[in-house]
Amino acid sequence: MKGKIFGIGVGPGDPQLMTIKACRILEKVDIVCVPKSKHEKDSLALSIAGRAVDREFETLELLFPMTHDKEVLKRHWDEAAERMAQQAREGKSLAFITIGDPMFYSTYAYILERIKRNYTDIEIETVPGITAFSACSSFINEPLTEADENLAVIPAAYGIPAIREALETNDNVVLMKVNRLYDEVAVLLKEMNLLNNAVYISRCGYEDQFYSTDIEGMTGREKDYMSIMIIRKAGWKSL
Amino acid sequence: MKGKIFGIGVGPGDPQLMTIKACRILEKVDIVCVPKSKHEKDSLALSIAGRAVDREFETLELLFPMTHDKEVLKRHWDEAAERMAQQAREGKSLAFITIGDPMFYSTYAYILERIKRNYTDIEIETVPGITAFSACSSFINEPLTEADENLAVIPAAYGIPAIREALETNDNVVLMKVNRLYDEVAVLLKEMNLLNNAVYISRCGYEDQFYSTDIEGMTGREKDYMSIMIIRKAGWKSL
């Protein structure tokens, strides 16, 4: 696997939820590319991979600042893709690691796009990972979809009107990163008479994973970034 | 793990896409419960598990006939749950294996519900698996969702009007098991000017996995049961 780039989903947090394929690649790869929002911050993805695979990684730290400024973001995506491509052209194999699934709200998508467009001589392969919402539904031991039910997955950045529409038109709704909008979502759910159909889950796959069906009782409290809400119109079987 | 039941997602087809956790449980468990629609049929889930884990399984075959008759289905779910509970009460550990993710359109949901309701002394734990749509987006090497895009997952049984509504109100749409409705979906996509935004994927994770963006050209042909369509309104990066 010389001169090749892999995009690797390390799953939601529990290293045991990594795939065999992800582990086998990380056991052999020359360089592990670690996306970070700040240089001094620890990487969640790296700590997951490091607990699943018993070796020292040579890492390449890639900085993606938390900003909505498209020009700043593009510059960092371009730079990361170029740095990775350079190493691949020198014959190195690289794995870009990402929490959850690489094709699902991950910075990896922008790297993938650039490698495919600008570095057509370099092979890039993606390895899927367990998504946060799959891990959450297993953790609460409640099905996400049954029979002919559908599912909508909404990033919380979408805002309350879009969340209302999703709740009106779908059987099951997952709200990703619900922390910032939580209090407004709770008001909406009360208004729509859906308070008993929702569950809040945070840090799923970590030792301090947590869930609650007391949606109103949780308002006003500080929430972790890794937080999801699942709304199931048919109701829970046993929550 | 005596007297315990596990629900195990074996992922979409490639045994390497099983999680470490799924493999570790299957290496130790006393009985592997194998859902089948007919007694004489081979089990896909069992063949995936058997290629990932190097041991002979003691299996318990559970029959779930392909029917929409709710009474017949309930009788088979009840019977399967009872047979599993009996073994667990004798101190055996059991793993119910299922393709993809156990919480996502799986018969496992009905077993889980029954164990939790009728056999409250028996512990049941669910282990998530890679979903078909995650595997498909990695296979075609195109992101499923980016930035503030949302995603709708629709079982094809939903019918054309629901699919039209999903396409109107969402950025990205996954149609599960699209085989039966394929030709009607192709007509709808043409009408909605979305033919170039769709990709058809079949048997993802198997040796004969296949994808095509020639949606019209594929009409009229026989389709595999394991078939998905992804529609991405923002368009593909490189398909």
Side-chain angles (χ1 to χ4, degrees):
Chain A
M1 54 188 201
K2 284 290 156 204
K4 183 171 172 179
I5 294 173
F6 296 90
I8 308 267
V10 299
D14 179 351
Q16 287 213 54
L17 291 184
M18 284 180 60
T19 64
I20 305 175
K21 188 167 184 177
C23 292
R24 287 198 180 150
I25 292 167
L26 288 170
E27 276 158 12
K28 290 185 205 161
V29 84
D30 295 315
I31 297 167
V32 173
C33 303
V34 183
K36 281 189 171 184
S37 57
K38 284 179 193 165
H39 273 306
E40 66 274 22
K41 246 181 105 178
D42 282 344
S43 159
L44 276 178
L46 186 62
S47 95
I48 298 167
R51 282 179 293 150
V53 177
D54 187 26
R55 64 167 284 202
E56 288 291 312
F57 296 126
E58 183 181 329
T59 58
L60 175 65
E61 199 170 279
L62 302 170
L63 191 70
F64 303 108
M66 285 275 194
T67 171
H68 289 288
D69 184 329
K70 270 276 175 191
E71 287 313 308
V72 173
L73 286 170
K74 277 184 184 167
R75 203 168 61 233
H76 283 85
W77 296 332
D78 285 344
E79 193 191 309
E82 201 197 322
R83 287 176 69 195
M84 291 172 66
Q86 247 171 23
Q87 298 276 359
R89 281 186 175 152
E90 286 170 19
K92 299 270 175 67
S93 57
L94 293 90
F96 183 103
I97 52 174
T98 180
I99 298 176
D101 183 271
M103 295 310 202
F104 202 68
Y105 302 118
S106 168
T107 302
Y108 172 70
Y110 307 108
I111 303 300
L112 173 67
E113 181 188 349
R114 281 160 174 76
I115 301 291
K116 287 200 290 184
R117 189 180 56 213
N118 303 329
Y119 310 93
T120 49
D121 54 315
I122 298 171
E123 195 186 345
I124 183 161
E125 181 183 346
T126 312
V127 179
I130 302 286
T131 58
F133 62 78
S134 273
C136 285
S137 53
S138 277
F139 169 44
I140 61 170
N141 235 6
E142 287 281 341
L144 199 58
T145 56
E146 285 183 314
D148 60 356
E149 294 171 358
N150 75 341
L151 171 73
V153 184
I154 316 279
Y158 232 62
I160 294 295
I163 294 172
R164 179 194 295 275
E165 191 187 335
L167 289 168
E168 280 166 355
T169 53
N170 297 283
D171 303 308
N172 303 295
V173 174
V174 169
L175 302 179
M176 305 287 292
K177 294 186 180 133
V178 75
N179 54 319
R180 277 187 305 160
L181 277 185
Y182 186 94
D183 291 3
E184 289 171 68
V185 170
V187 171
L188 176 68
L189 290 174
K190 188 169 190 176
E191 203 185 302
M192 294 181 79
N193 205 20
L194 286 171
L195 274 179
N196 293 327
N197 298 61
V199 59
Y200 166 83
I201 306 129
S202 66
R203 298 187 58 77
C204 185
Y206 294 83
E207 284 190 7
D208 54 349
Q209 62 185 355
F210 168 84
Y211 81 89
S212 174
T213 53
D214 179 14
I215 301 301
E216 273 198 304
M218 297 280 300
T219 54
R221 293 203 222 168
E222 208 178 314
K223 305 273 183 317
D224 195 86
Y225 171 74
M226 298 186 75
S227 58
I228 272 184
M229 196 183 280
I230 303 176
I231 299 114
R232 184 172 164 80
K233 282 210 202 138
W236 310 108
K237 308 289 180 182
S238 67
L239 279 186
Chain B
M1 56 188 201
K2 284 291 157 202
K4 183 170 174 180
I5 294 173
F6 296 90
I8 307 267
V10 300
D14 179 351
Q16 287 213 55
L17 291 184
M18 284 178 61
T19 63
I20 304 175
K21 188 168 185 177
C23 291
R24 286 197 182 152
I25 292 167
L26 289 170
E27 276 158 12
K28 289 185 206 160
V29 85
D30 295 316
I31 297 168
V32 174
C33 303
V34 183
K36 282 189 170 185
S37 58
K38 283 179 194 166
H39 274 304
E40 65 274 20
K41 246 180 106 178
D42 283 343
S43 158
L44 276 178
L46 186 62
S47 97
I48 297 167
R51 282 180 292 149
V53 178
D54 187 26
R55 64 167 283 201
E56 288 291 313
F57 296 125
E58 184 182 327
T59 59
L60 175 64
E61 199 170 280
L62 302 170
L63 191 69
F64 303 107
M66 285 275 195
T67 171
H68 289 287
D69 184 329
K70 270 275 176 191
E71 287 313 308
V72 174
L73 286 170
K74 278 183 184 167
R75 203 168 62 234
H76 283 85
W77 296 331
D78 286 343
E79 195 192 308
E82 200 197 323
R83 288 176 68 195
M84 289 171 67
Q86 247 171 22
Q87 298 275 359
R89 282 187 176 153
E90 286 172 18
K92 300 271 176 66
S93 58
L94 293 90
F96 183 103
I97 52 174
T98 179
I99 298 176
D101 183 88
M103 295 310 201
F104 202 68
Y105 302 118
S106 168
T107 301
Y108 171 70
Y110 307 108
I111 302 300
L112 173 68
E113 181 189 348
R114 280 159 176 77
I115 301 291
K116 287 200 290 184
R117 189 180 54 214
N118 303 329
Y119 310 94
T120 49
D121 55 315
I122 298 171
E123 195 186 348
I124 182 161
E125 180 183 346
T126 311
V127 179
I130 301 285
T131 58
F133 62 79
S134 272
C136 285
S137 53
S138 278
F139 168 45
I140 62 171
N141 235 5
E142 287 280 341
L144 199 58
T145 55
E146 285 182 315
D148 59 355
E149 293 172 358
N150 75 340
L151 171 73
V153 184
I154 315 280
Y158 232 60
I160 294 295
I163 294 171
R164 178 195 295 275
E165 191 187 335
L167 289 169
E168 280 165 356
T169 53
N170 297 283
D171 303 308
N172 303 295
V173 175
V174 168
L175 303 178
M176 305 288 292
K177 293 186 181 133
V178 74
N179 54 320
R180 277 187 305 160
L181 277 186
Y182 186 94
D183 291 5
E184 289 170 69
V185 170
V187 171
L188 175 68
L189 291 174
K190 187 170 190 174
E191 205 184 300
M192 295 181 76
N193 204 21
L194 287 171
L195 274 179
N196 292 328
N197 299 61
V199 59
Y200 167 82
I201 307 128
S202 65
R203 297 186 58 75
C204 185
Y206 294 83
E207 284 190 6
D208 54 350
Q209 62 184 356
F210 169 85
Y211 81 90
S212 174
T213 53
D214 179 13
I215 302 300
E216 272 199 305
M218 297 281 299
T219 55
R221 292 201 222 168
E222 208 177 315
K223 305 275 183 318
D224 194 85
Y225 171 74
M226 297 185 78
S227 57
I228 271 184
M229 195 183 280
I230 302 176
I231 299 115
R232 183 173 165 81
K233 282 207 199 139
W236 309 108
K237 308 288 180 181
S238 67
L239 279 186

